Amino acid sequence: MTKDFERFFNRFTENAKQSLVLAQDIAMETRSENIRTEHILLGILSIKRSVGAIVMENAGISVNKIKIVLHVESGDFKKDTKKGRGLSDIAKKVLEQAMIIAREADSPFVGTEHILLAILSQKKSKAEAVLKEMRVNPDLLKMDIEGYIQNAGFFSQQDIPREFMGTSTKRTSPAKTPALDSFSIDLT
C-alpha cells in the first residue's frame, strides 16, 4: 500500500478500499507507471455489489468492454514485482474530490459512488475518455450517481466499514428481496 492510499483509506467504505486495492493491482499488472483514473474505474467495476459498479453496469459498462477500449488483453496482465506505485496527479484529485463530495452529501464515509462521481468530474481524465469511446454519456452517468447520492439515506451493509458494523445487522435467514436488501439496512 502506498502513502498516497494511506491518507485516504480511513474514511473509505470496504468496497471503496477494495476497489482502490484492485486499481493498484491493475496498474501493476499492466505495468503502468502509476495508478490512474482508468485503473480506479476498473477497480470499482470489479466490486460487483458496490454502488459504483451497479450504476456502471446499468449503463452497459463492463470490465471487458473497458479492456477492449484500452486495448488490454487478458494476457497483458502479468504480475509486476515493483511495489509502491503512487497515484497519478489526476487520481489524487479524484480521491480528494470524492471526499469533498461525500462530505457535501453528509455522508460519513466515501463510497464507490463518490469516487465514480469524482472521476466523472475530471473532464480530461483517461477514464472519461474511455467512457466516451464506449459511447457512454458521462453527464448522464453523473446524473444517475447524483440522484442515488441525494436519495440515499443509508449505506448498504457491504459499504459500511467493518469497524462500524454491529452484529445486529446480520441476517440469519435467506433474503426474500436481495436487490432491496443490498441498498438498505435492517433496523430491527
Side-chain angles (χ1 to χ4, degrees), residues 148-155:
Y148 171 81
I149 291 171
Q150 289 174 356
N151 294 319
F154 298 100
F155 289 98

Side-chain angles (χ1 to χ4, degrees), residues 26-181:
I26 292 165
M28 284 192 289
E29 290 169 352
T30 58
R31 299 178 189 260
S32 296
E33 291 293 317
N34 49 30
I35 302 156
R36 300 187 304 250
T37 57
E38 63 272 24
H39 303 131
I40 297 172
L41 191 69
L42 280 166
I44 292 170
L45 201 49
S46 297
I47 307 296
K48 298 292 183 198
R49 292 183 51 122
S50 71
V51 174
I54 292 168
V55 170
M56 285 192 280
E57 287 171 357
N58 288 341
I61 303 166
S62 71
V63 170
N64 289 335
K65 288 180 182 178
I66 292 176
K67 286 180 181 179
I68 289 169
V69 170
L70 290 173
H71 308 292
V72 175
E73 301 293 327
S74 57
D76 289 347
F77 282 6
K78 298 176 180 113
K79 277 289 184 197
D80 190 346
T81 56
K82 293 180 184 175
K83 300 260 185 213
R85 293 184 199 275
L87 295 164
S88 69
D89 290 339
I90 293 177
K92 285 179 192 175
K93 286 181 190 176
V94 161
L95 296 183
E96 290 166 355
Q97 184 66 30
M99 292 178 79
I100 292 167
I101 291 167
R103 186 174 46 244
E104 288 174 353
D106 294 324
S107 176
F109 304 105
V110 178
T112 57
E113 65 275 18
H114 303 113
I115 298 170
L116 182 55
L117 186 56
I119 287 172
L120 296 171
S121 298
Q122 296 296 320
K123 295 298 180 189
K124 295 187 180 187
S125 72
K126 177 72 174 189
E128 189 191 46
V130 166
L131 294 174
K132 284 183 177 179
E133 191 168 330
M134 293 173 59
R135 293 194 168 95
V136 172
N137 184 336
D139 293 329
L140 291 177
L141 193 58
K142 193 174 174 181
M143 285 175 38
D144 287 345
I145 298 164
E146 287 170 343
Y148 171 81
I149 291 171
Q150 289 174 356
N151 294 319
F154 298 100
F155 289 98
S156 62
Q157 287 184 10
Q158 64 270 15
D159 269 349
I160 298 174
R162 284 187 192 141
E163 58 269 19
F164 295 98
M165 284 181 59
T167 55
S168 63
T169 61
K170 304 279 189 236
R171 181 178 292 279
T172 56
S173 61
K176 293 179 182 173
T177 56
L180 179 61
D181 291 347

Side-chain angles (χ1 to χ4, degrees), residues 14-29:
E14 287 302 311
N15 283 340
K17 290 176 184 178
Q18 289 174 2
S19 67
L20 294 175
V21 169
L22 287 171
Q24 184 175 23
D25 291 345
I26 292 165
M28 284 192 289
E29 290 169 352

